[in-house]
């Protein structure tokens, strides 16, 4: 039997066992276990034994899995602990399932195991391709190692207050001495800070001339033919420094870690020249001696090429006392050149055809010795960067021409790089009451959708301060102890006991177990103080009404440097450019006067209105080039008939009658003229023509007589219709008059009845003349109702309310009107 068949059999047996176990657990859960325990004590004992055995198996499984994944899981003492530590258990099981999935894929051959790179397969011909399914191992992401900062010769003070003083002991390549550079100033937040010690050198020192010239890109060497040197001794740093001094440009990159340190740790530095790569260990106890690299970093004749150096500059100042003069940031070059991507991975793919595996950005760079995969990734970040620098410089020089209206792109990139190099490090602090500062809660709550009442807000501020103080004391990141989500949950839920508080903490906050009592006391004290304390919105309203006007007033009072309005006003709009926004400004109002006169026309438009010269319609052309418009000839508008809407059949018949009457009138008008013409013509032509004319006259006479008879009949019919209409109108008028008379009579009778009833009401009631109630006489209607038999089949709906009648009114035929012009 082969191996695949054995594995298949094992998988099927495991699946069947899991399905059976799940069904049994579901069937037990559906029963009333408490009732079974009461009725049958033996069942309770069996359930307790099974629960204890399952907890023991779960504890053993979680313990072994936690050792493999590097996670911590507490012991499960009872069933309630499963609910309390559910998040942590899910994380461990997920990690275990991921490992099992990877092992199954490798066993079945779906994927191949990745080995560490060897010098033979690190050439350019075999590029590393980023794997979309490969995740960073947990042991590389959250390494459980001793803190290297505990061995530093220069300890970090996390409780330092006041301005942060630069770590420089000397200042190479200085234009201003170190003593004169270490001066203070007051920033925008009214805090005293030290100035940048190399501010004068960065602003005034020009870049080398070769930066402004186009060059032949120097091809990078294959990785297998170059030497990557690991530097972890001070002697190795000095040897590297001597070689760096000979270079015109160097590539620089850093790797940082901030999860197990309050301020963060600069863990690795990569430097490359055209020939060599160095990887420097910056976690050595003598790390402060790396300040000697300022002989190269502060040298303006050596260009330092970095990508996205905003934070790199800060980390170099804070940990090593290094300052960069002559910085070229390829990130800003990507932005100026309009590249679709601005990351270092995009540049490596575009120019070097190298796909970097960026999953190692999240790795724990404190790990020593450094794994080969991480060493290869760190080295590749700077190995290709100088070749990319050459390609970008050539493109910037081609698209930048000094002295022309278009901007100098190269100079723009250099200015932005100088601004990055002028960044300064400041001590991380915040105001506990207002929450202002880089580590404060103000900006976090400003973006939060949750609104806290007074008690919740007090708990949030107290726990935030307690977490920050603990992180400073233990030299850990505040998020190592408690994430922002956990902090918000504590303030929102307000746990009433320690077990409820423990259930809120996630798997990453389990390090607070030894501080749980202290945290619970802080929460209870804050709840008592926050009962009558301010709400979250009260703080934001007070800031908006007090702080903002104070800042505005401070800005308004300082008006010494405000320029005149004429200096601020530009002749050319930056948005609209040279487009004129009004004809009053460019003097075209007179040119458009003729166009306004031309547009004053009467509808309907003449057919030849649009046939005019194009010069009349063009407004923007100069007057000297446009031909003079020719006077248009007077248009004789003939009376033209047009119908707006066609009518019904009756209207069309009336129109045909009117047309026949008009044609008859024209024939009558032309008849005398034809007779005179015939008489004059007959005298001239002779007897033959007289006979023909007589016959024509007889025919015309007969036609006229027939038409006249038809016309008389039509007129008679019209007269009859008119008479019938008038008779109908007279009849309607008579009916209306009769109705009015009847209405008047009815109103008069009603008025008389009302008067009679009023008189009766005034008279006293005569009981002697009243009719008997008990022996009342029955009317014929009462007798009919009494004798009427009940019919159960009668339509009951007859006596009910009837619906409204639906009225269907036919739409009147459209009216027509004929207009003449």
């Amino acid at each position: 039997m082969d191996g695949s068949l054995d594995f298949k059999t094992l998988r099927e047996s495991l699946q069947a066992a899991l399905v059976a176990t799940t069904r049994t657990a579901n069937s037990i859960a559906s029963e009333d276990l408490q009732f079974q325990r009461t009725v049958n004590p033996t069942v309770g004992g069996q359930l307790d034994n099974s629960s204890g055995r399952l907890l023991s198996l779960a504890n053993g499984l979680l313990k072994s899995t936690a050792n493999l994944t590097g996670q911590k899981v507490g012991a499960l003492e009872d069933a309630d602990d499963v609910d309390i530590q559910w998040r942590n258990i899910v994380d461990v099981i997920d990690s275990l399932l991921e490992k099992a999935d990877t092992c199954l894929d490798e066993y079945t051959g779906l994927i191949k195991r990745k080995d560490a790179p060897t010098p033979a397969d690190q050439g350019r011909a075999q590029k590393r391709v980023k794997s979309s399914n490969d995740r960073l191992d947990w042991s590389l992401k959250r390494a459980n190692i001793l803190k290297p900062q505990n061995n530093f010769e220069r300890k970090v003070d996390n409780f330092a207050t006041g301005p942060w003083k630069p770590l420089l002991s000397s200042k190479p390549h200085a234009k201003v001495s170190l003593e004169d550079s270490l001066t203070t100033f007051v920033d925008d937040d009214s805090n005293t800070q030290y100035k940048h010690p190399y501010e004068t050198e960065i602003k005034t020192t020009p870049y080398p001339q070769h930066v402004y010239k186009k060059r032949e890109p120097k091809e990078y060497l294959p990785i297998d033919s170059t030497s990557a040197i690991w530097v972890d001794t001070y002697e190795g740093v000095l040897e590297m420094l001597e070689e760096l001094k000979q270079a015109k440009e160097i590539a620089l990159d850093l790797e940082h870690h901030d999860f197990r340190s309050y301020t963060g740790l600069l863990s690795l530095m990569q430097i490359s020249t055209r020939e060599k790569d160095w990887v420097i260990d910056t976690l050595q106890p003598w790390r402060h001696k790396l300040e000697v690299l300022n002989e190269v970093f502060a040298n303006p004749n050596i260009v330092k090429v970095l990508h996205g150096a905003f934070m790199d500059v800060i980390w170099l100042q804070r940990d090593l006392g290094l300052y960069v003069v002559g910085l070229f940031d390829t990130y800003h070059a990507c932005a100026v050149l309009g590249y679709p991507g601005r990351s270092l991975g995009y540049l490596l793919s575009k120019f070097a055809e190298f796909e970097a595996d960026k999953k190692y950005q999240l790795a724990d760079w404190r790990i020593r010795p450094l794994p080969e995969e991480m060493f290869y990734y760190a080295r590749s970040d700077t190995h290709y960067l100088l070749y990319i620098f050459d390609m970008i410089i050539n493109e910037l020089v081609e698209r930048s021409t000094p002295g022309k209206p278009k901007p100098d792109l190269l100079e723009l990139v250099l200015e932005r790089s100088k601004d990055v190099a002028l960044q300064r490090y400041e001590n991380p602090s915040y105001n506990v009451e207002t929450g202002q500062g880089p580590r404060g809660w103000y900006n976090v709550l400003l973006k939060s959708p949750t609104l806290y009442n007074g008690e919740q807000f007090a708990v949030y501020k107290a726990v935030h301060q307690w977490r920050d103080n603990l992180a400073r004391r233990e030299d850990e990141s505040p998020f190592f102890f408690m994430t922002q989500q956990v902090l918000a949950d504590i303030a929102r839920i307000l746990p009433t006991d320690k077990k409820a508080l423990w259930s809120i903490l996630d798997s990453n906050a389990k390090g607070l177990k030894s501080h749980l009592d202290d945290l619970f006391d802080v929460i209870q004290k804050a709840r008592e103080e926050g009962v009558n304390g301010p709400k979250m919105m009260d703080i934001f309203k007070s800031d908006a009404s007090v702080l903002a006007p104070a800042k505005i007033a401070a800005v308004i009072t300082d008006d010494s440097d405000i320029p005149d309005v004429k200096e601020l006003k530009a002749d050319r709009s930056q948005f609209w450019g040279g487009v004129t926004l009004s004809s009053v400004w460019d003097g075209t109002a007179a040119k458009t006067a003729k166009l306004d006169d031309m547009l004053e026309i009467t509808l309907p438009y003449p057919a030849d209105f649009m046939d005019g010269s194009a010069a009349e319609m063009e407004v923007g052309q100069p007057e000297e080039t446009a031909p003079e418009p020719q006077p248009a000839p007077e248009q004789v508008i003939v009376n033209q008939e047009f119908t707006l809407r066609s009518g019904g059949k009756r209207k069309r018949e009336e129109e045909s009658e009117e047309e026949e009457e008009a044609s008859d009138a024209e024939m009558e008008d032309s008849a005398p003229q034809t007779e005179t013409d015939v008489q004059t013509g007959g005298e001239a032509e002779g007897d033959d023509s007289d006979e023909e004319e007589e016959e024509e006259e007889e025919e015309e006479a007969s036609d006229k007589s027939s038409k006249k008879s038809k016309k008389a009949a039509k007129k008679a019919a019209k007269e009859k219709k008119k008479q019938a209409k008038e008779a109908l109108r007279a009849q309607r008028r008579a009916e209306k008059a009769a109705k009015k008379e009847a209405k008047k009579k009815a109103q008069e009778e009603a008025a008389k009845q009302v008067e009679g009833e009023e008189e009766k009401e005034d008279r006293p009631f005569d009981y002697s003349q009243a009719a008997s109630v008990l022996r009342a006489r029955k009317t014929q209607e009462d007798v009919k109702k009494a004798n009427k038999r009940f019919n159960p089949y009668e339509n009951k709906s007859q006596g009910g309310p009837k619906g409204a009648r639906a009225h269907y009114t036919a739409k009147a035929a459209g009216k027509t009107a004929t207009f003449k012009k």
Side-chain angles (χ1 to χ4, degrees):
M1 185 178 293
D2 55 352
S4 61
L5 186 59
D6 291 341
F7 173 73
K8 184 178 180 180
T9 305
L10 177 61
R11 184 180 62 181
E12 292 177 352
S13 61
L14 287 175
Q15 185 175 0
L18 290 174
V19 170
T21 304
T22 305
R23 289 177 178 174
T24 303
N26 291 335
S27 62
I28 294 175
S30 62
E31 298 291 337
D32 190 354
L33 299 182
Q34 189 64 31
F35 175 76
Q36 296 294 339
R37 286 176 178 272
T38 305
V39 174
N40 192 352
T42 58
V43 174
Q46 293 177 359
L47 289 174
D48 292 338
N49 294 333
S50 299
S51 299
R53 183 170 178 272
L54 290 175
L55 283 175
S56 177
L57 293 175
N59 282 324
L61 178 62
L62 291 175
K63 184 177 180 180
S64 60
T65 306
N67 293 333
L68 293 175
T69 59
Q71 297 177 342
K72 294 181 180 179
V73 183
L76 302 178
E77 298 177 359
D78 52 18
D80 293 336
D81 289 342
V82 177
D83 295 333
I84 294 174
Q85 302 189 30
W86 179 251
R87 295 179 183 176
N88 200 4
I89 295 172
V90 170
D91 293 340
V92 173
I93 297 301
D94 286 343
S95 301
L96 181 63
L97 293 177
E98 288 179 2
K99 287 182 174 292
D101 190 26
T102 303
C103 293
L104 290 176
D105 290 339
E106 292 178 355
Y107 178 79
T108 56
L110 184 61
I111 61 174
K112 295 182 179 180
R113 182 184 298 273
K114 292 190 175 182
D115 299 327
T118 59
D121 59 358
Q122 293 180 355
R124 184 179 179 182
Q126 297 180 356
K127 300 294 180 182
R128 286 178 174 259
V129 181
K130 180 172 56 177
S131 175
S132 59
N133 296 325
D134 193 9
R135 294 183 179 182
L136 185 64
D137 191 82
W138 185 263
S139 61
L140 298 180
K141 188 176 181 179
R142 293 286 185 267
N144 187 14
I145 60 177
L146 296 177
K147 293 182 179 180
Q149 60 265 37
N150 295 336
N151 299 325
F152 290 166
E153 295 178 3
R154 181 185 292 174
K155 301 295 183 181
V156 179
D157 185 8
N158 294 325
F159 289 93
T161 58
W164 182 82
K165 187 176 182 180
L167 303 178
L168 285 175
S169 59
S170 61
K171 186 180 177 183
H173 309 284
K175 288 186 177 182
V176 180
S177 63
L178 178 62
E179 292 76 12
D180 297 336
S181 300
L182 297 179
T183 58
T184 60
F185 71 101
V186 179
D187 60 8
D188 297 336
D189 296 329
S190 301
N191 297 324
T192 302
Q193 303 291 348
Y194 277 95
K195 289 185 177 181
H196 195 291
Y198 277 91
E199 180 178 359
T200 303
E201 288 76 9
I202 293 174
K203 289 183 177 180
T204 60
T205 305
Y207 282 83
Q209 290 299 319
H210 64 83
V211 176
Y212 299 90
K213 297 179 181 180
K214 194 173 181 180
R215 80 275 305 278
E216 183 68 26
K218 188 174 181 180
E219 185 76 14
Y220 54 86
L221 299 177
I223 294 181
D224 56 352
S225 64
T226 57
S227 57
I229 303 174
W230 173 258
V231 180
D232 57 355
T233 61
Y234 184 64
E235 291 75 12
V237 172
L238 297 179
E239 294 177 2
M240 177 189 66
L241 181 61
E242 294 301 324
E243 296 190 42
L244 295 178
K245 291 180 181 179
Q246 308 301 323
K248 292 183 178 180
E249 53 265 330
I250 62 173
L252 178 65
D253 191 30
L254 304 176
E255 303 299 340
H256 188 263
H257 177 81
D258 56 2
F259 189 67
R260 300 302 304 272
S261 172
Y262 184 78
T263 59
L265 289 173
L266 178 57
S267 304
L268 209 65
M269 180 191 301
Q270 306 95 268
I271 302 177
S272 295
T273 62
R274 303 284 182 177
E275 296 80 17
K276 285 186 179 182
D277 301 325
W278 289 272
V279 180
I280 302 99
D281 184 8
T282 57
L283 296 180
Q284 294 293 328
W286 46 265
R287 65 195 309 243
H288 61 280
K289 295 183 180 180
L290 290 173
E291 182 189 346
V292 69
L293 293 178
N294 275 327
E295 295 183 11
V296 174
F297 284 23
N299 188 352
N301 296 322
I302 301 176
V303 180
K304 273 67 70 175
V305 183
L306 291 89
H307 183 85
F310 178 80
M311 293 306 301
D312 293 348
V313 169
I314 299 295
W315 297 334
L316 288 172
Q317 298 175 20
R318 180 196 65 197
D319 291 1
L320 307 179
L322 295 176
Y323 294 85
V324 180
V325 181
L327 170 65
F328 185 92
D329 196 337
T330 54
Y331 171 82
H332 292 291
C334 293
V336 170
L337 293 174
Y339 287 166
R342 300 181 183 180
S343 64
L344 180 58
Y346 171 79
L347 294 179
L348 291 173
S349 176
K350 177 180 176 63
F351 294 105
E353 299 179 0
F354 179 83
E355 295 292 336
D357 195 350
K358 288 301 179 181
K359 69 179 182 181
Y360 292 105
Q361 286 181 333
L362 304 176
D364 190 346
W365 291 97
R366 303 174 304 153
I367 299 175
R368 298 294 183 270
L370 197 66
E372 189 67 24
E373 287 279 353
M374 296 174 62
F375 183 85
Y376 178 83
Y377 166 80
R379 180 188 178 192
S380 62
D381 279 352
T382 58
H383 181 77
Y384 306 95
L385 195 54
L386 292 180
Y387 175 75
I388 296 173
F389 168 72
D390 293 340
M391 301 294 290
I392 289 179
I393 285 292
N394 289 342
E395 189 170 355
L396 289 172
V397 172
E398 290 176 358
R399 298 174 58 178
S400 303
T401 304
K404 289 191 175 182
K406 62 181 181 180
D408 191 345
L409 300 184
L410 178 57
E411 193 64 33
L412 181 60
V413 174
L414 297 179
E415 288 298 326
R416 293 183 180 181
S417 299
K418 287 183 178 181
D419 294 338
V420 174
L422 288 172
Q423 299 297 317
R424 297 176 299 100
Y425 175 73
E426 299 177 0
N427 280 325
S429 60
Y430 79 98
N431 190 316
V432 178
E433 297 298 329
T434 63
Q436 301 288 343
R439 299 272 181 161
W441 47 261
Y442 185 87
N443 293 329
V444 177
L445 291 184
L446 194 63
K447 302 175 183 178
S448 174
T450 307
L451 297 179
Y452 299 121
N453 56 26
E455 191 174 358
Q456 292 173 331
F457 186 47
V459 170
Y460 188 95
K461 292 190 298 181
V463 175
H464 188 281
Q465 182 184 6
W466 178 85
R467 183 188 66 171
D468 186 79
N469 291 333
L470 179 63
R472 291 174 185 267
R473 186 168 59 253
E474 301 291 337
D475 196 13
E476 299 280 3
S477 171
F479 302 103
F480 171 75
F481 290 113
M482 186 184 301
T483 62
Q484 191 62 38
Q485 183 61 42
V486 173
L487 176 59
D489 291 341
I490 292 175
R492 178 175 53 85
I493 299 174
L494 298 178
T496 57
D497 52 50
K498 296 179 182 179
K499 195 162 188 177
L501 175 60
W502 181 255
S503 64
I504 297 175
L505 303 178
D506 59 4
S507 59
N508 294 328
K510 298 308 178 181
L512 293 176
K513 188 173 183 179
S514 59
H515 307 280
L516 192 63
D517 296 338
D518 188 13
L519 176 59
F520 184 74
D521 294 340
V522 170
I523 295 174
Q524 296 303 316
K525 183 179 179 181
R527 292 187 63 178
E528 295 175 359
E529 296 175 354
V531 173
N532 300 322
K535 300 179 181 179
M536 187 178 75
M537 291 306 299
D538 296 338
I539 298 296
F540 292 143
K541 290 178 181 178
S542 63
D543 292 343
S545 60
V546 177
L547 297 179
K551 292 182 179 179
I552 294 174
V555 173
I556 293 176
T557 54
D558 188 11
D559 57 353
S560 58
D561 298 333
I562 299 178
D564 189 59
V565 177
K566 295 182 179 180
E567 299 180 7
L568 298 175
K569 186 177 180 181
D571 297 333
R572 180 184 177 89
S573 173
Q574 296 182 358
F575 181 78
W576 295 103
V579 178
T580 305
L581 303 182
S582 176
S583 60
V584 179
W585 300 340
D586 62 349
T588 59
K591 300 179 185 179
T592 58
K594 296 181 180 180
L595 179 63
D596 296 339
D597 295 339
M598 183 181 66
L599 292 177
E600 294 178 359
I601 58 180
T602 305
L603 296 175
Y605 293 152
D608 55 348
F609 173 73
M610 298 306 294
D611 296 333
S613 60
E616 295 180 2
M617 302 299 294
E618 295 179 359
V619 182
Q621 294 182 355
E623 291 184 353
E624 59 272 13
T625 60
E628 296 181 359
Q630 298 294 333
E634 296 182 358
Q635 301 291 336
V636 179
I637 302 175
V638 183
N639 292 339
Q640 299 178 358
E641 297 180 359
F642 56 92
T643 301
L644 297 180
R645 183 180 177 185
S646 60
K649 181 178 180 181
R650 180 181 59 81
K651 197 65 180 179
R652 289 196 296 270
E653 291 178 353
E654 294 178 358
E655 290 176 359
S656 62
E657 292 175 359
E658 292 176 359
E659 291 176 358
E660 290 178 358
E661 291 176 1
S663 63
D664 294 341
E666 290 178 359
M667 292 177 65
E668 290 176 358
D669 295 338
S670 62
Q673 296 178 1
T674 56
E675 290 178 357
T676 56
D677 292 340
V678 169
Q679 291 176 2
T680 55
E683 295 177 356
E685 292 178 359
D687 297 335
D688 296 335
S689 60
D690 292 339
E691 295 177 357
E692 295 177 359
E693 290 176 358
E694 289 175 359
E695 293 177 359
E696 292 177 358
E697 288 176 0
E698 291 176 359
E699 292 177 359
E700 290 177 358
S702 63
D703 294 337
K704 288 181 180 180
S705 61
S706 63
K707 289 182 179 180
K708 287 180 179 180
S709 61
K710 291 180 180 179
K711 185 177 181 181
K714 290 180 180 179
K715 286 182 178 180
K718 286 184 179 180
E719 290 296 332
K720 289 181 180 180
K721 287 182 180 179
K722 287 182 180 180
Q723 292 175 1
K725 287 182 180 180
E726 290 177 357
L728 182 61
R729 290 176 182 173
Q731 183 181 356
R732 289 179 179 176
R733 290 173 185 172
E735 292 177 356
K736 287 183 180 179
K739 288 181 180 179
K740 288 182 179 179
E741 291 295 332
K743 189 176 182 180
K744 287 182 180 180
K745 291 180 179 180
Q747 290 177 353
E748 291 176 357
E749 292 178 357
K752 290 180 180 180
Q753 291 179 359
V754 171
E755 292 177 359
E757 290 177 357
E758 291 178 354
E759 291 178 359
K760 290 180 180 180
E761 290 178 357
D762 295 338
R763 298 174 185 176
F765 183 75
D766 188 2
Y767 289 96
S768 63
Q769 301 295 331
S772 175
V773 178
L774 298 176
R775 298 179 180 180
R777 295 181 180 180
K778 295 183 179 180
T779 61
Q780 294 181 357
E781 294 182 357
D782 296 337
V783 174
K784 289 181 180 181
K785 290 182 179 179
N787 296 333
K788 187 178 180 181
R789 296 181 179 180
F790 174 72
N791 184 9
Y793 303 102
E794 186 180 4
N795 188 4
K796 297 181 180 180
S797 63
Q798 292 179 357
K802 297 182 179 181
R805 181 182 299 175
H807 297 278
Y808 298 96
T809 56
K811 294 184 179 179
K815 296 182 179 181
T816 61
T818 304
F819 299 88
K820 291 185 179 181
K821 190 170 183 180

